[in-house]
Amino acid sequence: MREVDVAVIGAGPAGLFAAYYAGFRGLSVAVIDALPEPGGQVTAMYPEKLILDVAGFPAVKGRDLVANLVAQAAPFGPHYLLGTRAEKLSYADERPVLGLAGGEQLGCGAVVITGGLGSFSPRPLPCADSAPGAGIVYFVPEPTELADRDVLIVGGGDSAFDWALTLQPLARSVTLVHRREKFRAHASTVARVLSLPVRVVVNAEVTRLFGDGTVSGAEVTVRGGATETLPVDTVVAALGFTADLGPLAEWGLRLDRRHILVDSAMATNLPRVFAAGDITEYPGKVRLIATGFGEAATAVNNAAVAIDPSAHLFPGHSSDAG
């Protein structure tokens, strides 16, 4: 059984900062997330959008914020278990033991849950069953990989239009298909996309995909109208995500709907289990990335004392280290 001092569940901004802070305190750490990339909701839904309310950054793209957080934690060697869910919680000698998907056991001195919205997964493209293999993606970790491709974006929310803005300068062509006439995306973003050479098809759905091993075309059907086949190399399905607490809901945590109740130490009702970020609830809670950073530091510092009662709660200033 693998052993670490702190297991962080959730690789969003709060979880990545918790990984840094655990390392800063000299604790070994593993970061677990069901998504295949670090960054959580930021990476999955708005990697190219500017975030304006992170202290010290007048403006920072979501992807750049995530990259900086990963780099900040990197000197301490966190172990990333991505594409993996923490499914069960038990205790051995008063220490938490996490049962991971696939059967692996992870023993830890403490757990810090930073799951944001909880376990979330992309809404599937309805015609995905007809897909010929590769070519359907739900987010784009590296936009330059779609350079000189014919890209079809499906959706009408902020994510769909953000991807259109990002990919239009890179791709050979960008077509956006939405099943309604009105969009959920911010009006200014919609206006920017409509001013670009991006084809926007409304009241339409992707009804079939073609190709041999990878997508090479898509059938688009306009409601009450004709069906058209488009050349397509990549389909970006920006249809949103479904979120729930998943296995966490069965652990015996005190909950307020989908949120975990914590005290001022970010401690839950379970021994050695803490939480931080959007997944938490307490009086006056404000759900911002900036708030999550402070909660992550509080959770890790209190976890350090739970692991070693002789440790100091206050770790000292980082500017004094080294």
Side-chain angles (χ1 to χ4, degrees):
M1 181 171 64
R2 190 196 307 267
E3 294 275 349
V4 295
D5 294 319
V6 177
V8 177
I9 301 175
L16 294 173
F17 190 65
Y20 154 76
Y21 220 95
F24 172 66
R25 291 227 47 166
L27 302 170
S28 61
V29 62
V31 183
I32 305 159
D33 200 292
L35 293 177
E37 301 282 340
Q41 185 181 352
V42 174
T43 296
M45 302 187 73
Y46 51 94
E48 298 299 321
K49 189 177 283 293
L50 288 175
I51 301 171
L52 307 177
D53 57 359
V54 176
F57 291 94
V60 60
K61 281 187 178 181
R63 97 168 39 255
D64 294 336
L65 177 63
V66 170
N68 287 343
L69 286 163
V70 170
Q72 185 179 23
F76 303 108
H79 183 69
Y80 290 95
L81 296 167
L82 302 176
T84 301
R85 293 215 313 183
E87 296 191 334
K88 297 180 180 179
L89 172 68
S90 59
Y91 287 85
D93 296 326
E94 300 183 346
R95 289 168 54 89
V97 177
L98 294 177
L100 307 182
E104 183 180 358
Q105 300 285 301
L106 181 66
C108 38
V111 175
V112 179
I113 302 172
T114 57
L117 297 174
S119 177
F120 68 108
S121 55
R123 297 182 187 277
L125 187 67
C127 67
D129 289 344
S130 71
I136 300 177
V137 298
Y138 292 92
F139 53 97
V140 186
E142 185 47 67
T144 56
E145 292 180 357
L146 301 189
D148 298 321
R149 295 191 184 184
D150 293 308
V151 177
L152 175 64
I153 301 171
V154 185
D158 286 315
S159 295
F161 278 85
D162 286 345
W163 289 127
L165 285 176
T166 300
L167 296 174
Q168 187 277 322
L170 301 170
R172 182 186 302 116
S173 69
V174 175
T175 302
L176 187 148
V177 173
H178 184 45
R179 60 178 178 156
R180 297 190 178 93
E181 189 168 355
K182 293 185 178 180
F183 306 108
R184 301 184 310 278
H186 194 280
S188 63
T189 308
V190 173
R192 288 175 63 193
V193 170
L194 293 179
S195 71
L196 298 172
V198 172
R199 184 182 178 193
V200 177
V201 184
V202 297
N203 294 321
E205 294 188 54
V206 179
T207 48
R208 191 177 176 189
L209 297 173
F210 303 96
D212 183 12
T214 187
V215 173
S216 61
E219 179 184 86
V220 176
T221 302
V222 177
R223 188 181 308 131
T227 294
E228 179 182 2
T229 300
L230 304 176
V232 173
D233 299 309
T234 302
V235 179
V236 181
L239 300 172
F241 291 78
T242 58
D244 59 66
L245 286 177
L248 297 181
E250 309 300 322
W251 289 9
L253 294 158
R254 288 182 59 231
L255 303 175
D256 181 356
R257 287 169 291 186
R258 291 191 311 183
H259 299 123
I260 299 171
L261 292 167
V262 295
D263 61 16
S264 60
M266 308 312 295
T268 73
N269 61 301
L270 299 181
R272 297 195 181 203
V273 178
F274 300 81
D278 285 355
I279 202 166
T280 63
E281 185 62 72
Y282 53 82
K285 169 72 179 184
V286 177
R287 288 182 171 80
L288 293 172
I289 290 174
T291 308
F293 289 153
E295 293 173 355
T298 298
V300 170
N301 283 319
N302 281 279
V305 175
I307 295 168
D308 178 5
S310 68
H312 294 290
L313 177 63
F314 179 61
H317 296 290
S318 62
S319 55
D320 297 331

